[in-house]
């Protein structure tokens, strides 16, 4: 499709990578990258980490404007797409402009969930998804005395770590009985609970916030939990999970379940439309289950897979998922998906470090590491090889992933 036009909706991680990969794969047609956020596409992970400390927004850009000019990528920032017309093959922006496509890529990401809590409108109640949110949070953090974080997932805990570095009192309130429960094993949750409590952060597990308290001037003064307990605080971060931005696709009649449904080639139910990243769910090549991942690596690998297909080199998406989270001086890395694990082996190779090896039916499926980069890289290599790794084989190497990966 060398003389055709690819339109990409969403100028985040996946959208940017999609445009860049199309060019690096030799696509010669027109590329239009439409994103509702202002400015150049930027990296999101530092928003809950380095950016809160240094406030350096320019460092977040993937590439300068010159990159888009040189590669003939038409960038349309500050533009929201409000409709897809599949018959006419065009999208319509919120201001009514119609933009035609031969192939459309939906890279619309996800948005923060608003939990059922009263008074979310109060001043100093924030959430964190984009650069504007992070700049606002950063400005208010420097004046805060007691921060309350609602939600003990990755973003909530990364923010808690930074806030406590600022010398602010921090309390995290999490409804589940452990931290980051959706994505990590019990051993990793426990490890991070000890880390955060050791730094003075208070963590209330198994508690739900029912109401935010007003100081009488419209500003937040704390929270009330469902058991009636009140906790004072002058800045609240709502970090209660995300939902896929799949409405555009659903309204156009595409198949949508937990996100936009795609096949192993990342095609939607309309073969002229692909979807990638946080907004799509795809068949996991290992388990066969449909999964939706919220990670930079998935968005990036999805973009690569689609770019290859659109330039005549189709191949299914088979990359091993991996994730990371930086909390204080601890780096959590996860290779593979551990949700189907029926057995776990946890090791503490060095002070502060942790390796959790997850097995299903006696086979390696995922590895979670804390400050153990070598074990993480070995796990990724082993999982990517496609060769099944039996638990007994690893046991014979004392579960030392680095030694085992060298030996096979
Ligand atoms: C604070 C924070 C920290 C994170 N840290 C990590 C981390 O450490 N490691 C990791 O792997 N992942 C991390 N993530 C997750 C990671 O950033 C996402 O998984 C990744 O950005 C997904 O890429 P995407 O292209 O699918 O979506 P996004 O990067 O979210 O981009 C989607 C874009 O589409 C735009 N859009 C949506 N609808 C429309 C429309 N109708 N018209 C035009 N534009 C539209 C949105 O405004 C957005 O700019 C973090 C996320 C956040 C918010």
């Amino acid at each position: 499709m060398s003389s055709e036009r690819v339109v990409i909706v969403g100028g985040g991680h996946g959208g940017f990578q999609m445009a860049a990969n199309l060019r690096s794969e030799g696509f010669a047609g027109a590329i239009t990258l439409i994103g509702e956020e202002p400015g150049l596409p930027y990296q999101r992970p530092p928003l809950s980490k380095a950016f809160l400390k240094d406030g350096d927004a320019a460092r977040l850009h993937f590439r300068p404007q010159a990159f888009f000019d040189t590669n003939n990528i038409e960038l349309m920032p500050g533009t929201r797409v409000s409709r897809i017309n599949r018959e006419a093959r065009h999208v319509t922006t919120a201001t009514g402009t119609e933009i035609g496509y031969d192939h459309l890529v939906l890279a619309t990401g996800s948005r923060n969930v608003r939990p059922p809590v009263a008074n979310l409108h109060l001043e100093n109640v924030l959430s964190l998804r984009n650069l504007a949110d992070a700049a606002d949070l950063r400005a208010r953090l420097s004046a805060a005395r007691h921060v309350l974080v609602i939600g003990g997932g990755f973003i909530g805990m990364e923010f808690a770590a930074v806030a406590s570095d600022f010398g602010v009192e921090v309390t995290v309130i999490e409804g589940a009985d452990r931290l980051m429960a959706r994505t990590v094993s019990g051993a990793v949750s426990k490890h991070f609970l000890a880390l955060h409590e050791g730094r003075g952060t208070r963590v209330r597990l198994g508690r739900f916030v029912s109401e935010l308290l007003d100081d009488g001037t419209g500003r937040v003064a704390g929270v009330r939990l469902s058991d009636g307990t009140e906790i004072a605080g002058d800045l609240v971060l709502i970090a209660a999970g995300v939902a896929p931005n799949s409405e555009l696709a659903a309204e156009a009649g595409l198949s949508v379940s937990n996100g936009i449904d795609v096949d192993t080639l990342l095609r939607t139910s309309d073969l002229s439309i692909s979807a990638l990243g946080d907004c799509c769910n795809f068949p996991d090549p290992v388990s066969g289950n449909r999964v939706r991942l919220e990670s930079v690596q998935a968005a990036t690998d999805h973009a690569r897979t689609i770019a290859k297909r659109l330039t005549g080199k189709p191949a299914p998406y088979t990359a091993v998922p991996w994730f990371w989270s930086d909390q204080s001086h601890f780096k959590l890395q996860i290779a593979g998906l551990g949700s189907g694990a029926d057995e776990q082996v946890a090791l503490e190779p060095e002070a502060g470090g942790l390796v959790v090896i997850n097995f299903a039916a006696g086979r390696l499926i995922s590895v979670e590491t804390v400050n153990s980069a070598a074990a993480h890289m070995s796990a990724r290599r082993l999982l990517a090889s496609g060769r099944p790794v039996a638990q007994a084989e690893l046991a014979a190497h004392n579960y030392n992933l680095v030694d085992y990966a060298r030996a096979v």
Side-chain angles (χ1 to χ4, degrees), residues 9-16 34-37 42-49 79-83 107-110 112 128-130 154-155 158 242 245 248 276-280 293-300 322-326:
V9 181
H13 266 271
F16 165 75
I34 310 173
E36 67 181 331
E37 292 188 63
Y42 62 88
Q43 304 174 56
R44 233 168 269 283
L47 299 182
S48 50
K49 310 174 185 78
T79 307
R80 179 170 178 78
V81 169
S82 53
R83 190 164 172 261
T108 48
S110 52
N112 293 332
L128 178 54
R129 173 109 319 246
N130 57 38
F154 283 161
I155 291 176
E158 288 176 1
V242 304
N245 289 326
L248 200 56
L276 58 73
D278 283 17
C279 71
C280 79
L293 302 179
E294 292 145 20
S295 87
V296 161
Q297 176 266 343
T300 304
W322 59 269
F323 314 84
W324 82 94
S325 175
D326 295 328

Side-chain angles (χ1 to χ4, degrees), residues 324-339:
W324 82 94
S325 175
D326 295 328
Q327 298 173 33
S328 180
H329 53 291
F330 285 76
K331 184 180 254 325
L332 166 67
Q333 293 173 295
I334 306 174
L337 299 176
S339 52

Side-chain angles (χ1 to χ4, degrees), residues 95-148:
T95 53
T97 306
E98 289 178 358
I99 300 164
Y101 65 82
D102 296 292
H103 196 85
L104 179 66
V105 180
L106 298 175
T108 48
S110 52
R111 61 177 175 279
N112 293 332
V113 165
R114 306 274 291 167
V117 170
N119 289 337
L120 283 174
H121 64 276
L122 291 174
E123 180 73 19
N124 265 15
V125 177
L126 305 180
S127 63
L128 178 54
R129 173 109 319 246
N130 57 38
L131 185 51
D133 297 335
D136 193 13
L137 192 55
R138 183 170 185 274
R140 291 169 196 256
L141 183 57
S142 51
R145 289 195 309 276
H146 189 164
V147 167
L148 303 174

Side-chain angles (χ1 to χ4, degrees), residues 189-237:
S189 296
K190 207 170 139 198
H191 197 80
F192 276 88
L193 177 64
L195 153 72
H196 285 279
E197 288 186 332
R199 305 178 84 239
T201 296
R202 268 169 268 171
V203 180
R204 306 287 188 95
L205 296 170
R207 305 292 180 90
F208 290 91
V209 173
S210 59
E211 186 183 351
L212 303 181
L213 306 172
D214 189 333
D215 74 349
T217 69
R219 224 180 141 91
V220 75
V223 297
R224 180 174 294 123
L225 306 184
S226 44
D227 63 7
T229 312
E230 292 187 1
I231 307 173
D234 54 0
L235 179 65
V236 173
L237 178 75

